[in-house]
Amino acid sequence: MWKETIDDYILRHSDEEGQLLAALNRDAHVNLLQPRMLSGHLQGRFLKMLCRVARPARVLEIGTYTGYATLCLAEGLPTGGHVDTIELNDEMEDFIRKYLDQSPFRDRVTLHIGDARAVIPTLEGEFDLVFIDADKRHYSAYYDLVFPRVRPGGLILADNTLWDGHVVESPAPTDRQTLGIMAFNDKIKRDERVEKVILPLRDGLTLIWKKL
């Protein structure tokens, strides 16, 4: 009960998510099988605020899902900023575009449908901020793929890095999602090219800063 009260207090004293995002959230909880996968109110406001502070010109999101986080990132961008977002599941495209098309920030977003490991090499230029929130088994591969494309001083964010607390347990050899997250966390810990911190926000959010 204490945690629920604190969570409610935090949301009541943070910015509103807005009508469009609230509608998206409700739609996902009614019509999708795994609605808890979307970023939600608190993390969404955090992503927007991070963009306000970092002022990235180019953002790459790996794992669009509903587009909730996409719209939050786009909302926080400076004038001229742009988000490229990649979603593997083509069955999500209609849902994503339903809300993307209603957003005043739709012109700031380009949606790519396909495997991020194939799409990323087709994108040109460097990125100022990368948000990884896709298949946990491939986090390390995503990181290796995007790292050379992140400018020095840029940010990489990785979601779900506490994975419901399973990272401090002994996963079964068949639990590839947990093993993937644990391997990624260990990889980032050892990487001397970056500074990093894990925030206990929702299911764990790792902030990674590429050194100059």
Side-chain angles (χ1 to χ4, degrees):
M1 183 62 183
W2 177 84
K3 185 177 186 300
E4 292 176 351
T5 301
I6 289 297
D7 287 348
D8 181 64
Y9 183 89
I10 290 170
L11 292 180
R12 285 191 291 107
H13 290 81
S14 298
D15 285 345
E16 301 289 340
E17 60 183 339
Q19 292 183 350
L20 182 63
L21 290 173
L24 188 161
N25 203 336
R26 287 192 298 271
D27 194 354
H29 278 81
V30 170
N31 294 302
L32 300 181
L33 293 176
Q34 296 177 302
R36 71 186 297 267
M37 287 173 53
L38 65 75
S39 289
H41 185 170
L42 178 59
Q43 188 177 67
R45 294 304 86 191
F46 178 82
L47 292 174
K48 176 191 173 183
M49 184 66 75
L50 197 61
C51 284
R52 287 283 194 234
V53 174
R55 298 183 60 79
R58 293 197 69 201
V59 175
L60 173 63
E61 179 185 35
I62 304 174
T64 315
Y65 189 43
T66 63
Y68 189 103
T70 315
L71 293 175
C72 295
L73 291 164
E75 185 181 353
L77 291 181
T79 302
H82 196 80
V83 179
D84 283 283
T85 183
I86 306 171
E87 174 54 41
L88 175 63
N89 184 0
D90 59 3
E91 293 183 355
M92 287 301 301
E93 183 171 4
D94 287 345
F95 189 102
I96 295 165
R97 293 198 183 279
K98 174 182 177 181
Y99 290 96
L100 183 59
D101 290 346
Q102 297 178 63
S103 172
F105 309 108
R106 58 187 173 274
D107 293 339
R108 298 180 178 182
V109 178
T110 299
L111 173 64
H112 307 267
I113 300 296
D115 189 323
R117 292 169 294 177
V119 173
I120 292 169
T122 70
L123 304 177
E124 297 181 354
E126 288 187 323
F127 294 95
D128 305 294
L129 187 151
V130 175
F131 181 41
I132 302 174
D133 187 15
D135 191 329
K136 314 310 169 192
R137 296 170 296 180
H138 303 312
Y139 264 35
S140 291
Y142 299 144
Y143 180 79
D144 288 339
L145 195 56
V146 301
F147 191 86
R149 307 286 299 277
V150 177
R151 66 166 177 81
L155 286 170
I156 301 173
L157 314 178
D159 200 13
N160 305 115
T161 48
L162 295 181
W163 203 231
D164 281 335
H166 296 312
V167 291
V168 294
E169 300 172 352
S170 298
T174 55
D175 186 357
R176 295 180 61 200
Q177 300 271 17
T178 301
L179 291 170
I181 288 291
M182 293 173 70
F184 173 78
N185 288 344
D186 289 343
K187 180 185 185 72
I188 301 306
K189 173 62 178 177
R190 295 191 301 267
D191 193 341
E192 297 181 353
R193 300 171 299 174
V194 298
E195 296 179 7
K196 75 289 291 183
V197 61
I198 298 179
L199 302 179
L201 177 62
R202 293 185 73 242
D203 198 22
L205 182 68
T206 301
L207 274 63
I208 304 162
W209 181 76
K210 184 174 181 178
K211 292 181 180 178
L212 299 172

